[in-house]
Amino acid sequence: LVTDSNGVKFGKTEGNALWLDKNKTSSYELYQYLINLEDSMIIEYLKKLTFLSKEEIEEIEKRHNENPGLREAHKILAREVITDIHGKEEYEKAEKISQVLFSGKVNELTSNEIEIAFKGFPVYNINERLNIVDILVKYEICSSKREAREFITTGSISINGNKITELDYIIDNNTTIDSKYVVIRKGKKKYFILKY
């Protein structure tokens, strides 16, 4: 039985189920869950969910206590669990997606990785050639043309990982990743997906 820090068990009835089937819980979603675990749970999960030896876990715990900000124990847990369940390739894909999103270099993702990374995000279907200002307003990424221009000129809008500062920038099928997606980032953390 696996519980969170409040003693609540994981499961469908609690609404917090993590599935072993990667089609229900992707390796990336599992990676994000494990990387963001509370520090108080990490060593317990290493003991319960990995095949690491007692000595290895004690060494990890020592390094974790010395510098918890590095999240080394979390990364090791994610590596061990995902590799055991889904294989090394899936772990590497999950880690890559996380690193790319952290760095903002979305153009390094394939369309399949974009679908995994942004599962649950709204996807706007588009089939026209539009100016960046018009797109930001049309899809309610910004509330007005004035706000859109402000975000663009201050460098707060990125398209596929590239900051856009030109008000006349055009988004069309040539802007896409894999002839399919355009990923717009507003500020540091708000993402919007256009699908051609």
Side-chain angles (χ1 to χ4, degrees):
L1 181 66
V2 179
T3 60
D4 65 16
S5 59
N6 297 317
V8 177
K9 71 176 182 171
F10 286 97
K12 288 190 296 185
T13 54
E14 297 298 330
N16 61 356
L18 291 172
W19 300 91
L20 298 182
D21 181 343
K22 68 181 177 187
N23 296 314
K24 290 186 176 182
T25 300
S26 71
S27 296
Y28 170 72
E29 290 171 300
L30 188 54
Y31 183 92
Q32 285 304 307
Y33 175 79
L34 296 169
I35 285 292
N36 291 303
L37 270 175
E38 295 174 45
D39 284 355
S40 62
M41 298 302 296
I42 199 70
I43 301 305
E44 191 63 33
Y45 280 15
L46 279 167
K47 291 175 183 174
K48 288 181 178 176
L49 303 176
T50 73
F51 294 102
L52 295 172
S53 69
K54 180 178 182 285
E55 294 73 27
E56 287 172 308
I57 293 172
E58 286 170 355
E59 180 58 32
I60 293 165
E61 182 175 19
K62 180 179 170 228
R63 292 195 311 265
H64 174 72
N65 290 337
E66 288 169 0
N67 198 341
L70 289 179
R71 304 191 79 69
E72 182 185 2
H74 296 73
K75 292 172 185 172
I76 292 170
L77 177 66
R79 182 192 69 213
E80 293 297 312
V81 169
I82 295 168
T83 302
D84 286 344
I85 296 172
H86 298 160
K88 185 178 179 190
E89 190 177 303
E90 280 292 315
Y91 165 72
E92 289 170 351
K93 187 186 342 180
E95 185 181 40
K96 174 193 171 188
I97 293 170
S98 294
Q99 288 173 351
V100 165
L101 292 182
F102 183 76
S103 70
K105 297 177 182 172
V106 179
N107 58 339
E108 294 179 9
L109 296 175
T110 65
S111 57
N112 177 257
E113 290 168 337
I114 287 170
E115 289 165 8
I116 292 167
F118 295 104
K119 181 180 171 187
F121 279 70
V123 176
Y124 304 102
N125 290 307
I126 183 171
N127 58 6
E128 56 191 327
R129 186 175 196 266
L130 284 173
N131 170 282
I132 182 69
V133 174
D134 294 332
I135 279 189
L136 294 177
V137 175
K138 181 174 182 171
Y139 295 101
E140 299 179 355
I141 296 167
C142 292
S143 60
S144 66
K145 286 191 174 192
R146 182 198 58 75
E147 184 184 73
R149 287 190 292 270
E150 188 178 306
F151 271 96
I152 293 165
T153 55
T154 59
S156 298
I157 298 292
S158 295
I159 304 292
N160 298 337
N162 301 310
K163 277 192 182 178
I164 303 302
T165 55
E166 307 90 43
L167 295 171
D168 58 352
Y169 186 87
I170 299 294
I171 294 179
D172 60 17
N173 203 31
N174 297 320
T175 317
T176 59
I177 295 172
D178 284 355
S179 301
K180 199 170 185 182
Y181 291 111
V182 174
V183 179
I184 299 174
R185 187 174 82 176
K186 175 183 168 188
K188 290 190 189 265
K189 293 187 176 177
K190 291 189 176 177
Y191 285 94
F192 305 86
I193 315 302
L194 304 180
K195 183 178 181 182
Y196 273 86

